[in-house]
Each structure stands twice: as structure tokens, then as C-alpha cells.
Amino acid sequence: MTPTDNETGRDTGPDTGPETTIQGEYDVDTIHVAPAIELRGISKAFGPVQANKDISIHVAKGTIHGIIGENGAGKSTLMSILYGFYKADAGEILISGKPVTIPDSQAAIAAGIGMVFQHFKLVENFSVLENVVLGAESGALLAPSLSKARRELTSLAKEYELNIDPDALIQDIGVGMQQRVEILKALYRRADILILDEPTGVLTPSEADQLFRILRRLKEEGKTIILITHKLREIMETTDTVSVMRRGEMTATVKTAETSPEELAELMVGRKVLLRVDKTPAKPGPTVLEVRDLNVTDAQGVQRVKGISFDIHAGEVLGIAGVAGNGQSELLEVLGGYETATGTVTVNGEQIDLTGAKSDARSRRERGIAHVPEDRQREGLIMDFHAWENAAFGYHHDEAYRSGLLMNNKAIWQDTEGKMERFDVRPPDPRLAAKNFSGGNQQKIVLAREIERNPELLLIGQPTRGVDIGAIEFIHQQIIALRDQGKAILLVSVELEEILALSDRIAVMFDGQIMGERMASETDERELGLLMAGVTDEKGAA
Amino acid sequence: MDVMPKWAEVVLVPLISLLLAAILSALVILAIGENPWEALKLMVSGALGSTYGWGYTLYYATNFIFTGLAVAVAFHARLFNIGGEGQAALGGLGVGLVCLYIPWPHWSLALLGATLGAALFGAAWAAIPAYLQAKRGSHIVITTIMFNFIAAALLNYVLVNLLRPVGAMDPATARFAESTHLPNLADILGTFGIPFSKAAPANVTFFVAIAACIAVWMLIWRTRLGYEIRSYGHSEPAAKYAGISPVKITMVAMLISGGLAGLMAINNVMGEAERLILNSVEGAGFIGIAVALMGRSHPFGVFLAAILFGFLYQGGAELALWTSIPRELIVVIQALVILFTGALDNMVRMPLERIFLAARKRG
């Protein structure tokens, strides 16, 4: 059913005329309807960084238009200009053919633009209805606004198949539903143009499919949708037209039907990229990590990890799949030594202290556990420190890095130069502060630091989050190379594709439990997606 | 990339801030009917025009170096130690006890003992707020402020009831023994044949302060402990990830900070008053905050800022003495300096960054 919807939408959609062609090639005479959005020569600089360079784009009415690009390519900046968060240095915005200025988000809403942010902007302990009304009340008294909104919501639900209980509290409904509230908020404010920024980041595959069904439905009703994402698959499946951004420039706008993921990836990166990871089957050795009945309770008393058990062998990658926030982060923190837990964890047969005096990240490192944390900017690096200072971070007590009470800065510096060369960190300048490197190069600094310790066990969380495609390839190769040296690797990632590409075995976490374990070669996204959504597994390992 | 070159960041921004503060101060002086140019000349000649003036300027500066370093060290761990006042007061108690109850054969040994006593008492006074912050999460700003009051009350009690010599009316200790009297700058410079005012209170502690600056610089930028303190100050989650204990760093940084504040007592209690009196700190603990802010928590910056505030203190005293400009106005001028160099930093920085950016684009 879905593909048919897509087809009809694309081919017979009311306003989808020939203007959805490659930008610059269309002929003025062929336009019957002005594009929903037209940007002309938008430029925006932040200090010396040119975030957007002379960007022009047409988004035809009633289409789904994808914008794809690597992190830092300027997608978000462009959309922030459109939504009035930033003011463009140069260029024009036309909505339905009329030039507009958008000084703030109020103006954007008035112009019919609705935005669904990656991180929802909802009040957790308000009901759906209250959240929809928030900021769009019709008067000083709340009751009339609410009853008006209730009527509106019912009709919207009918029109777009966006069913939702208006009285449910946000905190009680799932992420997919919360996103639906965000869409309803935009529609309630009469948005004709809906911008979605990385909407599937927090969704399970089935929730994502649902979202795309909704988007197609909205398109059929004549809404225009701009979908910002870095996931090629989503672009291929849902959009009519796709624009590719690279380094602040719009490198191409093509019809989705006439392109391929490989071509898009090449347009994004500027060179051919390998989308798969080349690896040989794992040769698992003896057990390195043994986790039994691990429980983690956070400071608020919520149990985050509920009695999980698993093993990792030498020379194998165990991937932990799951939607963010299902206990994966806590698992990494416990194994990394900065969160307490109950249960038993042994590394090479030796038990690890989970609560006592020896439970800190330093003693974990001494046991041969290296850790590439999920959030490199918050944990893995000190953003204001020089690269060379970061290269010793966590290992600053090491013999090689110290001389008495002092740090051996010269030795650290030299070591950093070597690391930067071996891991192709650009620019290879140890004096540069971590914040001045791109996401990919920051990750390479962390990776070089952790991998070159030659650990028994590598914990690695979201290895390629916010990393450009070119660097992803390199990072994946490094992980596999470490595995092939006979090291155990625990990989946590919310990117299912990444889990499937790198792992030898896959465990799926949901609500603090392991819902099931699969050999990577014997499973697929559909099966893992079900486990991620908490569908109980009859073969269950939990 | 950083927008501004380092020299502009370190030199130009504070200088322009200072200039703005001076201009505003001049307007204030003008408004009360005095001549700002004459006032400035008087301040400069009073504070820097004679060795007597210099002696006072450096004496005040020595106090501010210690309290400034104290705030700076804590600030590297992102701890705002407002308790310099109380820690310095307790440092005074340490110095007092060391000097009163131990018969020292020579001032150099007494200085060593007093240094230990001052640092120990200052650190101990910082230890309680530090522990409450590290273990119980009580905010250090609140607790250190409260501890300033407790320190004042404690010292009052100790001086009145315990240390006051029998029959004395004054809430102060007896004078310290002759053998603990520190040589002042006149004595020291005299041995090199350089004449210096004998009446000025600046003494050998000034050199201890310089040594402290160097030691703090070593600590922060060369030692592993300093590295951990800075790491923790920049990012607590990252510090935890790296195996740096927040409890340990909070405690250690505050102990060092309190110890440095306590060291101030060598200068004012042992070097100048030669006995422990009430309110001996005279607000130097608070000036230390401004000094650290202006000095960007760097020991060299703290040194320069302390000299500047020493100048303002001494110059201000001269103004109050020779003109009808009231002493309170000196506080206004000091406040303007603090306001411009500390709080309104971005007001100068942002336009300056824009100028540099424009210059770079053109170049």
C-alpha cells in the first residue's frame, strides 16, 4: 500500500508539475503554480565559517522534498533561517511566490511554516491538548481555547489520520506519539509547509514507517514537506525531490526516482564511498567480558538496566541495538566505571568492582577496558583543551606521560603527533583546541587514544554520531581491525545499519532488558526492529 | 579558529576595559566638582611617586595576590570560592598561634612556621564548605559566604576571650616576639644599597607571593593534579569518564584555595601588624575575586591585577587624605574597574572581535 501511495502522490499529485526538476533548468513558462518555498541566493556566515553559500532552492507545492547532507553541511542553518532563528546575510525567501522576511519564528508561523525539531519542544506534564494550544491561546481564559482546540484536533485527526488521545499526558505517551503532537501543533497553527529535522533519530523502524505514512498522507492533502536527514534510505523511500548539501553549498537537486543511494552519498562527500564494511567472519576466542544479572538504578530511583546478562568473546563485536534511552548508556557507564550497579562483571575471569573504591574509570582502564563514550563532546574530550592534552585524557597517570608529579608534556606532544598521523586527523596540529576539529576528526582523536592502548575490551558508543561519511568508513575499518587483532568489542549504536554492518552478534535492548540475541548474519532490520519496539521474543535471552 | 590573536585577548581587552572604567570614574569625579586630571596625578604620585607610596602599593598588592590566587585556583575547578575573607582571617589565627606560642630563633624559621600555620588554618576553614559541596551538594558560594561570617564571629570570640592579654582593652593578641618580625622591603633592598622607605609596610612576604604565583602556575599547567583540576573545571562528565574523582578534586582544589587565602595573613598579621587584631583582612578576600576575574585566573594576570588594585587602594587613600573626594568614591572607582574588567567583559570583547574579523577579511 505504501509504495502505491507514493506513486500516486508523485505522479498525479495536484500541484506537482514540471517545476520539480533540477534547479536552474526549469523553464519559467512551465510553472503553473508558484513553488511553496523558493530561496534565492541565501548566504550566512558565523564568524569566519561560511555556513550557507549562495543557496537557491525550489520546493514545489504538495511534495516531499528531502535535504540531505553530512553534519555541518549547513542543513540546520538553512532551516533555522527559514524558521526565523537566524537572519541570512544575503538572499531572498519567497513563500508561494511572494517575497517575505522572517525575523522570528512568529513570522514563520504566520507565513505557514511549521517546524518539528529533532528534540521535541513539549511540556512533559501537560496533556496533548494543552501542548497543542500552548502559545496559540485565543484569549486570556484557557477554557475557550481548549474546547476550540479539541474540536480542531478531532477534525485534524479525521483529515490526516493523526489519531491521538487529546487528554493523555506527554510523559505517558511514546516518542512516536510525541512526534505526532509536534506535527499536530504545526497543523493547528495552519502550517502549509512542514519542516522535519532528523525526525527518525529517536524512532524505532516501525514508528519511522508510521511517520512516513503520515507524511505521505499530508502530502496528498496538499501540504508541502521538507525532510532533513542524513539517512539515505529515508530519502529514497519517501521523498519526491532531494537536494544535497555539502560544506554550506547546495551541490545538487535531483528527482529521487532518478538517483541512487550511491550517487547521493558521492554528492554528499564529494568522492566515491563504500557504504558497506568489508570484513571477514569473526573467529571468536575465549570469553573476555562476562556480565551476569546487571542492574542499574539511577539517582532518581528509576531502574535503568534490569538484570541483563551477556558475554563477549575475544575477536568479536557484540552490537547492542535499541532506541536511545533504553539502558544502553547506563550499561556503557557501568562498564566504563562511572556509574554504580549490582550484579557481577568479569573481565578475563577477574571480577570487577561495581560499587566500591575500585569502581572508577581509572581502574577500569588499568584492567584493559578502553572506552569511546557516546557523547564525545561532553565526555570524551575537553573541548577547550588542546588536541595534545586530550590525547592523554584518562591516561594522564601513565608512566610514559608523566615525570614525577609533573606531566611529561613533551612525550604527550610527540605521541599526539604520531596518533594524528596514524589516524589521519586533520589538521594534524596538536596545539589546536578540540572544539576546532570537525566531528569526525574529534572522534578520531578519541579513537586513537583508546585503540592505541591496545585494550582487551573496547567499549564504543555511537561511534559515528555526527561524523561525516568519509570518516565513518575509516572509523569502521579501525573497529574491525581491532576485532581482527583478537580484541573484544562492545558496540552501542542507535543506527541499526551500523549495528548490522559491524556486529558479529547483536543484542537488542528495550526498557533496560535484553529482548533477544541474534547472530548478525541470521537477522535483519525487520526482526531487530520488532525487538527494539519491545515485542517479546520467544527465543528470548532476557 | 580563535577570532582574536592571543595578545589582543590578554592585553587589549583588559586595557580597553580599564580605560573605560577610568573615563567613567573621571566623569564621576567631575560630577562632584573635583578635577579628575588632578585626582589622577595625585593617585599616581601618592601610590607610585615615592618609595613610601610603592611600599604601600606593594603591601596591598601582596594581600591581593594571595586572595586572587585563591579564587583563581578554585575557579580552575569551576568552584567559586567567595570565602577568601574568612579563610584569610583564620590564616591570621594560625599565624598568631605560631608566632605567640613557639619561641622562634630567627625570622626565617618563623616565616616557615607561619606559612605552614596560615596555610593549614586557611585550608581547614575551606575544608568544611568543600566537603559539604563535594558530598552533600551544598552550593559552595552560599557556604563560603556563610563561613566568612562564622570566621568573623569565631575570631571575635577567640580574641576577646582567649588570646587577649590580661588587662588589655583591645580585642587583639599581644605583640609577637622580636624574633618573628619580618624584614621589610627597606631592610632587604638596603642590603643591596637601594634606599627604600622604612615606614612602608611592604615586607619579605611580597617575595613569598611571587613564589606562590610561580607555584600556582606550575600546579595548574604542569602537574597532573592541575590537569585534573582543569579537566574537572571544564567538564564534570568528562572528568568522571577519565576517572577523575569529583569529590577529590573539589576537596583538593578548595584546600589549596583556602591555604592560599590563609597565606595572606603572613603579610598583614606577621609582616605589618605584628599581632592579630580584629578585622585584619579588611576586605582583601573580596578584592581577590575581582583580581582573579581581571587576571583571567592566570597567576601572571593575578599578579598584574593585584598591583593595579594595590595602586587603587593606596592612590585612593591619598585622594581621601588630600582632597575632598570622599573615601566612598574610591570604592566607586574600584567597583567600576571590577564592573568593566569582570562583568562587562563581553562589551569590549565583541566589538573588538568584529574589528579583528573585518581586518582579517580585508587582509
Side-chain angles (χ1 to χ4, degrees), chain A residues 47-48 338 360-362 365 371 373 378-382 384-385 389-390 392-394 396-397 402 404-407 409 432 435-436 446 449-450, chain B residues 1-3 78 218-219 221-245 248 357 360-361:
Chain A
Y338 49 107
D360 64 74
R362 185 178 167 188
R365 287 186 174 83
H371 183 186
R378 195 163 163 268
E379 297 185 340
L381 295 165
I382 302 275
D384 287 330
F385 275 16
E389 287 175 299
N390 272 303
F393 194 53
H396 49 282
H397 294 291
R402 71 182 198 202
L405 282 175
L406 303 186
M407 311 255 299
N409 290 353
L432 212 56
K435 64 181 173 196
N436 293 327
V446 178
R449 180 179 76 207
E450 301 301 323
Chain B
M1 283 302 273
D2 297 326
V3 180
R78 187 120 326 156
M218 283 289 281
L219 168 77
W221 277 283
R222 283 294 177 270
T223 67
R224 279 181 284 144
L225 178 64
Y227 179 80
E228 294 196 334
I229 288 176
R230 284 186 295 133
S231 300
Y232 174 73
H234 278 292
S235 165
E236 181 171 345
K240 280 191 191 162
Y241 157 82
I244 298 164
S245 157
K248 177 188 141 190
L357 205 66
R360 189 184 304 168
K361 270 189 185 152

Coordinates of all heavy atoms in Angstrom, one line a residue, chain A residues 47-48 338 360-362 365 371 373 378-382 384-385 389-390 392-394 396-397 402 404-407 409 432 435-436 446 449-450, chain B residues 1-3 78 218-219 221-245 248 357 360-361:
Chain A
G47 N 31.0 34.1 12.0 CA 32.4 34.5 12.1 C 33.1 34.1 10.8 O 32.6 34.4 9.7
P48 N 34.2 33.4 10.8 CA 34.9 33.0 9.6 C 34.3 31.8 8.9 O 34.7 31.5 7.8 CB 36.3 32.7 10.1 CG 36.2 32.3 11.5 CD 34.9 33.0 12.1
Y338 N 31.9 4.7 35.7 CA 31.5 5.9 36.4 C 30.0 5.8 36.7 O 29.3 6.9 36.6 CB 31.9 7.1 35.7 CG 31.7 7.2 34.2 CD1 30.7 8.0 33.7 CD2 32.5 6.5 33.4 CE1 30.5 8.1 32.4 CE2 32.4 6.6 32.0 CZ 31.4 7.4 31.5 OH 31.2 7.5 30.2
D360 N 36.1 3.0 39.5 CA 36.2 4.2 38.8 C 36.9 4.0 37.5 O 37.4 2.9 37.2 CB 37.0 5.3 39.6 CG 38.4 4.8 39.8 OD1 39.2 4.9 38.9 OD2 38.8 4.4 40.9
A361 N 36.8 5.0 36.6 CA 37.2 4.8 35.2 C 38.7 4.5 35.2 O 39.1 3.8 34.3 CB 36.8 6.1 34.5
R362 N 39.5 5.1 36.1 CA 40.9 4.9 36.1 C 41.2 3.4 36.3 O 42.1 2.8 35.5 CB 41.6 5.7 37.1 CG 43.1 5.7 37.1 CD 43.6 6.6 38.1 NE 45.1 6.3 38.3 CZ 45.8 6.8 39.2 NH1 45.2 7.7 40.1 NH2 47.1 6.6 39.3
R365 N 40.5 1.3 33.2 CA 41.5 1.4 32.2 C 42.7 0.5 32.5 O 43.3 -0.1 31.7 CB 42.0 2.9 32.1 CG 40.9 3.8 31.4 CD 41.4 5.2 31.1 NE 40.5 5.9 30.3 CZ 39.4 6.5 30.8 NH1 39.2 6.5 32.1 NH2 38.5 7.1 30.1
H371 N 37.4 2.9 26.4 CA 36.0 3.4 26.3 C 36.0 4.6 25.4 O 36.5 5.6 25.6 CB 35.5 3.7 27.7 CG 34.0 4.1 27.7 ND1 33.4 4.6 28.8 CD2 33.1 4.2 26.7 CE1 32.1 4.9 28.5 NE2 32.0 4.7 27.2
P373 N 33.3 7.1 24.5 CA 32.0 7.3 25.0 C 31.0 7.8 23.9 O 31.4 8.2 22.9 CB 32.2 8.5 26.0 CG 33.4 9.2 25.5 CD 34.2 8.1 24.8
R378 N 30.9 15.8 25.3 CA 30.6 16.1 26.7 C 31.5 15.2 27.6 O 31.9 15.7 28.7 CB 29.2 15.6 26.9 CG 28.6 16.1 28.2 CD 27.0 16.0 28.2 NE 26.5 16.1 29.5 CZ 26.3 15.0 30.3 NH1 26.5 13.8 29.8 NH2 25.9 15.1 31.5
E379 N 31.9 14.0 27.1 CA 32.7 13.1 28.0 C 34.1 12.8 27.4 O 35.0 12.8 28.2 CB 31.9 11.8 28.2 CG 30.6 12.0 28.9 CD 29.9 10.6 29.2 OE1 30.3 9.6 28.5 OE2 29.1 10.6 30.0
G380 N 34.1 12.5 26.2 CA 35.3 12.0 25.6 C 36.4 13.0 25.5 O 37.6 12.7 25.4
L381 N 36.1 14.3 25.4 CA 37.1 15.3 25.1 C 36.8 16.5 26.0 O 35.6 16.7 26.4 CB 37.0 15.8 23.7 CG 37.4 14.8 22.6 CD1 36.9 15.3 21.2 CD2 38.9 14.6 22.5
I382 N 37.8 17.3 26.3 CA 37.6 18.6 26.9 C 37.7 19.5 25.7 O 38.8 19.7 25.2 CB 38.7 18.9 28.0 CG1 38.7 17.8 29.1 CG2 38.5 20.3 28.5 CD1 37.7 18.0 30.2
D384 N 37.8 22.6 25.3 CA 38.7 23.8 25.3 C 40.2 23.4 25.4 O 41.1 24.2 25.3 CB 38.4 24.7 26.5 CG 37.1 25.5 26.2 OD1 36.8 25.7 25.0 OD2 36.4 25.8 27.2
F385 N 40.5 22.1 25.6 CA 41.8 21.7 25.7 C 42.4 21.5 24.3 O 41.7 21.2 23.4 CB 41.9 20.3 26.4 CG 42.0 20.4 28.0 CD1 41.6 21.6 28.6 CD2 42.4 19.3 28.7 CE1 41.6 21.7 30.0 CE2 42.4 19.4 30.1 CZ 42.0 20.5 30.7
E389 N 46.6 17.7 24.8 CA 46.1 17.5 26.2 C 45.0 16.4 26.2 O 44.9 15.6 27.1 CB 45.6 18.8 26.8 CG 46.7 19.8 27.1 CD 46.1 21.1 27.6 OE1 45.3 21.8 26.8 OE2 46.4 21.5 28.7
N390 N 44.2 16.4 25.1 CA 43.1 15.4 25.1 C 43.6 14.0 24.8 O 43.0 13.1 25.1 CB 42.1 15.9 24.0 CG 41.0 16.8 24.6 OD1 40.3 16.4 25.5 ND2 40.9 18.0 24.0
A392 N 46.0 12.5 26.0 CA 46.4 11.8 27.2 C 45.2 11.7 28.2 O 45.4 11.1 29.3 CB 47.5 12.5 27.9
F393 N 44.1 12.2 27.9 CA 42.9 12.3 28.8 C 42.5 10.9 29.3 O 42.2 10.0 28.5 CB 41.8 13.0 28.1 CG 40.7 13.5 29.0 CD1 41.0 14.3 30.1 CD2 39.4 13.1 28.8 CE1 40.1 14.7 31.0 CE2 38.4 13.6 29.7 CZ 38.7 14.3 30.8
G394 N 42.5 10.8 30.6 CA 42.2 9.5 31.2 C 43.4 8.6 31.4 O 43.4 7.7 32.2
H396 N 46.5 10.0 31.9 CA 47.5 11.0 32.3 C 48.4 10.5 33.4 O 49.3 11.1 33.7 CB 46.9 12.4 32.6 CG 45.7 12.3 33.5 ND1 44.4 11.9 33.1 CD2 45.6 12.5 34.8 CE1 43.6 11.9 34.1 NE2 44.3 12.3 35.2
H397 N 47.9 9.4 34.1 CA 48.8 8.9 35.1 C 49.8 7.8 34.6 O 50.6 7.3 35.3 CB 47.9 8.2 36.2 CG 47.0 9.1 36.9 ND1 47.5 10.1 37.8 CD2 45.7 9.3 36.9 CE1 46.5 10.8 38.3 NE2 45.4 10.3 37.8
R402 N 54.2 10.9 32.3 CA 54.5 11.7 33.4 C 56.0 11.7 33.8 O 56.7 10.8 33.4 CB 53.7 11.2 34.6 CG 54.1 9.9 35.2 CD 53.2 9.4 36.3 NE 53.9 8.4 37.1 CZ 53.2 7.6 37.9 NH1 51.9 7.6 37.9 NH2 53.9 6.7 38.6
G404 N 57.4 12.2 37.5 CA 57.1 12.6 38.9 C 55.6 13.1 39.0 O 54.7 12.5 38.4
L405 N 55.5 14.2 39.7 CA 54.2 14.8 39.8 C 53.8 15.6 38.6 O 52.6 15.9 38.4 CB 54.2 15.8 41.0 CG 54.1 15.1 42.4 CD1 54.2 16.2 43.5 CD2 52.8 14.4 42.6
L406 N 54.8 15.9 37.8 CA 54.5 16.7 36.6 C 54.1 15.8 35.4 O 54.3 14.6 35.4 CB 55.8 17.5 36.2 CG 56.4 18.4 37.3 CD1 57.5 19.2 36.7 CD2 55.3 19.3 37.8
M407 N 53.4 16.5 34.5 CA 53.1 15.8 33.2 C 54.3 15.9 32.3 O 55.0 16.9 32.3 CB 52.0 16.6 32.5 CG 50.8 16.9 33.4 SD 49.4 15.9 33.1 CE 49.0 16.2 31.4
N409 N 54.9 16.8 29.2 CA 54.2 17.4 28.1 C 54.9 17.1 26.8 O 54.2 16.9 25.7 CB 54.2 18.9 28.3 CG 53.2 19.3 29.4 OD1 52.5 18.4 29.9 ND2 53.1 20.5 29.7
L432 N 45.9 22.7 18.3 CA 44.6 23.2 18.1 C 43.6 22.6 19.2 O 43.7 21.5 19.6 CB 44.1 22.6 16.7 CG 43.1 23.5 15.9 CD1 43.7 24.9 15.7 CD2 42.9 22.8 14.6
K435 N 37.7 21.7 20.2 CA 36.4 22.3 19.6 C 36.6 22.7 18.2 O 35.7 22.9 17.5 CB 35.9 23.4 20.5 CG 36.9 24.6 20.5 CD 36.3 25.7 21.4 CE 37.4 26.8 21.6 NZ 37.1 27.7 22.7
N436 N 37.9 22.9 17.8 CA 38.1 23.4 16.4 C 38.3 22.3 15.4 O 38.5 22.6 14.2 CB 39.4 24.3 16.4 CG 39.2 25.6 17.2 OD1 38.0 26.1 17.2 ND2 40.2 26.1 17.8
V446 N 39.7 10.7 19.8 CA 39.3 9.8 20.9 C 39.6 8.4 20.6 O 40.2 7.6 21.4 CB 37.7 9.9 21.1 CG1 37.3 9.0 22.2 CG2 37.4 11.3 21.5
R449 N 43.3 7.6 20.9 CA 43.7 7.5 22.3 C 43.3 6.1 22.8 O 44.1 5.5 23.5 CB 43.0 8.6 23.0 CG 43.3 8.6 24.5 CD 42.5 9.8 25.1 NE 41.1 9.5 25.3 CZ 40.2 10.4 25.3 NH1 40.5 11.7 25.2 NH2 38.9 10.0 25.5
E450 N 42.1 5.7 22.6 CA 41.6 4.4 23.2 C 42.1 3.2 22.5 O 42.5 2.2 23.2 CB 40.0 4.4 23.2 CG 39.4 5.6 23.9 CD 39.8 5.7 25.4 OE1 39.9 4.7 26.0 OE2 40.0 6.8 25.9
Chain B
M1 N 38.6 28.4 14.7 CA 39.7 29.3 15.0 C 39.3 30.4 16.0 O 38.2 30.8 16.0 CB 40.1 29.9 13.7 CG 40.9 29.0 12.7 SD 42.4 28.4 13.5 CE 43.6 29.8 13.1
D2 N 40.3 30.7 16.8 CA 40.0 31.9 17.7 C 40.0 33.1 16.8 O 40.8 33.3 15.9 CB 41.1 32.0 18.7 CG 41.1 30.7 19.6 OD1 40.0 30.2 19.8 OD2 42.1 30.3 20.1
V3 N 39.1 34.0 17.2 CA 38.9 35.1 16.3 C 40.0 36.2 16.5 O 40.5 36.8 15.6 CB 37.5 35.8 16.6 CG1 37.3 37.0 15.8 CG2 36.4 34.8 16.4
R78 N 36.2 25.2 38.5 CA 34.8 25.8 38.4 C 34.1 25.8 39.8 O 33.0 25.5 39.9 CB 34.0 25.0 37.4 CG 32.6 25.6 37.2 CD 32.4 26.1 35.7 NE 33.6 26.5 35.0 CZ 33.6 26.5 33.7 NH1 32.7 26.0 33.0 NH2 34.7 26.9 33.0
M218 N 52.9 26.5 38.1 CA 53.4 25.1 37.9 C 52.2 24.1 38.2 O 52.0 23.1 37.5 CB 54.5 24.8 38.9 CG 55.8 25.4 38.6 SD 56.6 24.5 37.2 CE 57.2 23.0 38.1
L219 N 51.5 24.3 39.3 CA 50.4 23.4 39.7 C 49.4 23.3 38.6 O 49.1 22.2 38.2 CB 49.8 23.9 41.0 CG 48.5 23.2 41.3 CD1 48.7 21.9 41.9 CD2 47.6 24.1 42.2
W221 N 49.4 24.3 35.3 CA 49.8 23.9 33.9 C 50.8 22.9 33.7 O 51.1 22.5 32.6 CB 50.1 25.2 33.1 CG 48.9 25.9 32.6 CD1 48.1 25.5 31.6 CD2 48.2 27.0 33.2 NE1 47.0 26.3 31.4 CE2 47.1 27.2 32.4 CE3 48.5 27.8 34.3 CZ2 46.2 28.3 32.7 CZ3 47.6 28.8 34.5 CH2 46.5 29.1 33.8
R222 N 51.4 22.4 34.8 CA 52.5 21.5 34.7 C 52.2 20.1 35.4 O 52.8 19.1 35.0 CB 53.8 22.0 35.1 CG 54.4 23.0 34.1 CD 54.8 22.3 32.8 NE 55.3 23.2 31.8 CZ 54.6 23.8 30.9 NH1 53.3 23.6 30.9 NH2 55.1 24.5 29.9
T223 N 51.4 20.2 36.5 CA 51.3 18.9 37.2 C 50.0 18.1 36.8 O 49.1 18.7 36.1 CB 51.1 19.2 38.7 OG1 49.9 19.9 38.9 CG2 52.2 20.1 39.3
R224 N 50.1 16.9 37.1 CA 48.9 16.0 36.8 C 47.7 16.5 37.6 O 46.6 16.5 37.1 CB 49.2 14.6 37.1 CG 50.0 13.9 36.1 CD 50.3 12.5 36.4 NE 51.3 12.4 37.4 CZ 51.3 11.5 38.4 NH1 50.4 10.6 38.5 NH2 52.3 11.4 39.2
L225 N 47.9 16.9 38.8 CA 46.8 17.4 39.6 C 46.2 18.6 39.0 O 44.9 18.7 38.9 CB 47.3 17.8 41.1 CG 46.2 18.3 42.0 CD1 45.1 17.3 42.2 CD2 46.8 18.8 43.3
G226 N 47.0 19.6 38.5 CA 46.5 20.7 37.8 C 45.7 20.4 36.6 O 44.6 20.9 36.3
Y227 N 46.2 19.4 35.9 CA 45.5 18.9 34.7 C 44.1 18.3 35.1 O 43.1 18.6 34.4 CB 46.3 17.8 34.1 CG 45.8 17.1 32.8 CD1 45.9 17.7 31.6 CD2 45.2 15.8 32.9 CE1 45.5 17.0 30.5 CE2 44.8 15.2 31.8 CZ 44.9 15.8 30.6 OH 44.4 15.1 29.5
E228 N 44.1 17.6 36.2 CA 42.8 17.1 36.6 C 41.8 18.2 37.1 O 40.6 18.1 36.8 CB 43.0 16.1 37.8 CG 43.8 14.8 37.3 CD 43.6 13.7 38.3 OE1 43.4 13.9 39.5 OE2 43.8 12.5 37.8
I229 N 42.4 19.2 37.8 CA 41.6 20.3 38.2 C 41.0 21.0 37.0 O 39.8 21.3 37.0 CB 42.4 21.3 39.1 CG1 42.8 20.7 40.4 CG2 41.7 22.6 39.3 CD1 43.7 21.5 41.3
R230 N 41.8 21.3 36.0 CA 41.3 22.0 34.9 C 40.3 21.1 34.1 O 39.2 21.6 33.7 CB 42.4 22.3 33.9 CG 43.2 23.5 34.4 CD 44.3 23.9 33.4 NE 45.3 22.9 33.2 CZ 45.7 22.5 32.0 NH1 45.2 23.0 30.9 NH2 46.6 21.6 31.9
S231 N 40.5 19.8 34.0 CA 39.6 18.9 33.3 C 38.2 19.0 34.0 O 37.2 19.1 33.4 CB 40.1 17.5 33.4 OG 41.3 17.4 32.7
Y232 N 38.3 18.8 35.4 CA 37.0 18.9 36.1 C 36.3 20.2 35.9 O 35.1 20.3 35.8 CB 37.3 18.6 37.6 CG 36.1 18.7 38.5 CD1 35.1 17.8 38.4 CD2 36.0 19.8 39.3 CE1 34.0 17.9 39.2 CE2 34.9 19.9 40.1 CZ 33.9 19.0 40.1 OH 32.7 19.1 40.8
G233 N 37.1 21.3 35.9 CA 36.5 22.6 35.8 C 35.8 22.8 34.5 O 34.8 23.4 34.3
H234 N 36.4 22.2 33.4 CA 35.8 22.3 32.1 C 34.6 21.4 31.9 O 33.6 21.8 31.2 CB 36.8 22.0 31.0 CG 37.7 23.2 30.7 ND1 37.3 24.3 30.1 CD2 39.0 23.4 30.9 CE1 38.3 25.1 29.9 NE2 39.4 24.6 30.5
S235 N 34.6 20.2 32.4 CA 33.5 19.3 32.2 C 33.5 18.2 33.2 O 34.4 17.4 33.3 CB 33.6 18.7 30.8 OG 32.8 17.6 30.7
E236 N 32.5 18.2 34.1 CA 32.4 17.2 35.1 C 32.2 15.8 34.5 O 32.8 14.8 34.9 CB 31.3 17.5 36.1 CG 31.3 16.5 37.2 CD 30.4 16.9 38.4 OE1 30.1 18.0 38.5 OE2 30.1 15.9 39.2
P237 N 31.2 15.7 33.5 CA 31.0 14.4 32.9 C 32.3 13.8 32.3 O 32.6 12.6 32.5 CB 30.0 14.6 31.8 CG 29.4 15.9 32.2 CD 30.3 16.7 32.9
A238 N 33.1 14.7 31.7 CA 34.3 14.2 31.1 C 35.3 13.8 32.1 O 36.0 12.8 32.0 CB 35.0 15.3 30.2
A239 N 35.4 14.5 33.2 CA 36.3 14.2 34.3 C 35.9 12.8 34.9 O 36.8 11.9 35.1 CB 36.2 15.2 35.4
K240 N 34.6 12.5 35.0 CA 34.2 11.2 35.5 C 34.6 10.1 34.5 O 35.1 9.1 34.9 CB 32.7 11.2 35.7 CG 32.2 11.8 37.0 CD 30.7 11.5 37.1 CE 30.1 12.3 38.2 NZ 28.6 12.3 38.0
Y241 N 34.4 10.4 33.3 CA 34.8 9.5 32.2 C 36.2 9.1 32.3 O 36.7 8.0 32.1 CB 34.4 10.0 30.9 CG 35.2 9.4 29.7 CD1 34.8 8.2 29.2 CD2 36.3 10.1 29.2 CE1 35.6 7.7 28.1 CE2 37.1 9.5 28.2 CZ 36.7 8.3 27.7 OH 37.4 7.8 26.7
A242 N 37.1 10.1 32.6 CA 38.5 9.9 32.7 C 39.0 9.4 34.0 O 40.2 9.2 34.2 CB 39.2 11.2 32.4
G243 N 38.1 9.1 34.9 CA 38.5 8.5 36.2 C 39.0 9.5 37.2 O 39.7 9.2 38.1
I244 N 38.6 10.8 37.0 CA 38.9 11.8 37.9 C 37.8 12.0 38.9 O 36.6 12.2 38.5 CB 39.2 13.2 37.2 CG1 40.3 13.0 36.2 CG2 39.4 14.3 38.2 CD1 40.5 14.1 35.2
S245 N 38.1 11.9 40.2 CA 37.0 11.9 41.2 C 36.6 13.3 41.5 O 37.4 14.1 41.9 CB 37.5 11.2 42.5 OG 36.8 11.7 43.6
K248 N 37.3 14.2 45.1 CA 38.7 14.5 45.4 C 39.1 15.9 44.9 O 39.8 16.7 45.6 CB 39.6 13.4 44.7 CG 41.1 13.7 44.9 CD 41.9 12.7 44.1 CE 43.1 13.4 43.5 NZ 43.9 12.6 42.5
L357 N 37.9 40.6 12.9 CA 37.3 39.7 11.9 C 37.3 40.5 10.6 O 37.7 40.0 9.5 CB 35.9 39.3 12.3 CG 35.4 38.1 11.6 CD1 36.2 36.9 12.2 CD2 33.9 37.9 12.0
R360 N 40.7 40.8 9.2 CA 41.2 39.6 8.6 C 40.6 39.4 7.2 O 41.3 39.0 6.3 CB 40.9 38.4 9.5 CG 41.6 37.2 9.0 CD 41.3 36.0 9.8 NE 41.5 36.1 11.2 CZ 41.0 35.3 12.1 NH1 40.3 34.3 11.7 NH2 41.3 35.4 13.4
K361 N 39.3 39.7 7.1 CA 38.7 39.5 5.8 C 39.3 40.4 4.8 O 39.5 40.0 3.6 CB 37.2 39.8 5.9 CG 36.4 38.6 6.3 CD 34.9 38.9 6.2 CE 34.1 37.7 6.7 NZ 32.8 38.1 7.3

